[in-house]
Amino acid sequence: EHNHPPSSDMRAHPVGARLNNEQKETVAKLLRANCTPIQTLIALGMEKVSVRTIYNERAAVRLRELDGRSPIQTLGNERPN
């Protein structure tokens, strides 16, 4: 027997809050379009995902785009010609 009743809110469970690859790409596109996390959540139309999940994915997108460099190194490489 389990020690508590089942949760009524799937946002309490990490498995229920996972984004698939298509949703992750949507988060990345909306991040580049300067949409807020709340706007992203609304665009995804997902009730089971929390804003924290969106923040976490946005951070992951930024980290991937830095490609192992610091933000300062990235800015230094993007100097205008």
Side-chain angles (χ1 to χ4, degrees), residues 11-48:
R11 290 180 288 190
H13 301 281
V15 172
R18 286 188 184 150
L19 300 174
N20 62 33
N21 289 337
E22 182 180 323
Q23 293 162 334
K24 288 179 180 183
E25 185 58 37
T26 299
V27 170
K29 286 179 184 176
L30 293 174
L31 173 63
R32 290 183 206 109
N34 293 322
C35 290
T36 66
I38 296 294
Q39 291 169 326
T40 302
L41 186 63
I42 292 168
L44 289 174
M46 299 178 64
E47 294 179 8
K48 66 181 181 177

Side-chain angles (χ1 to χ4, degrees), residues 11 17 41 46-56:
R11 290 180 288 190
L41 186 63
M46 299 178 64
E47 294 179 8
K48 66 181 181 177
V49 174
S50 71
V51 175
R52 174 55 40 203
T53 302
I54 302 300
Y55 277 114
N56 290 343

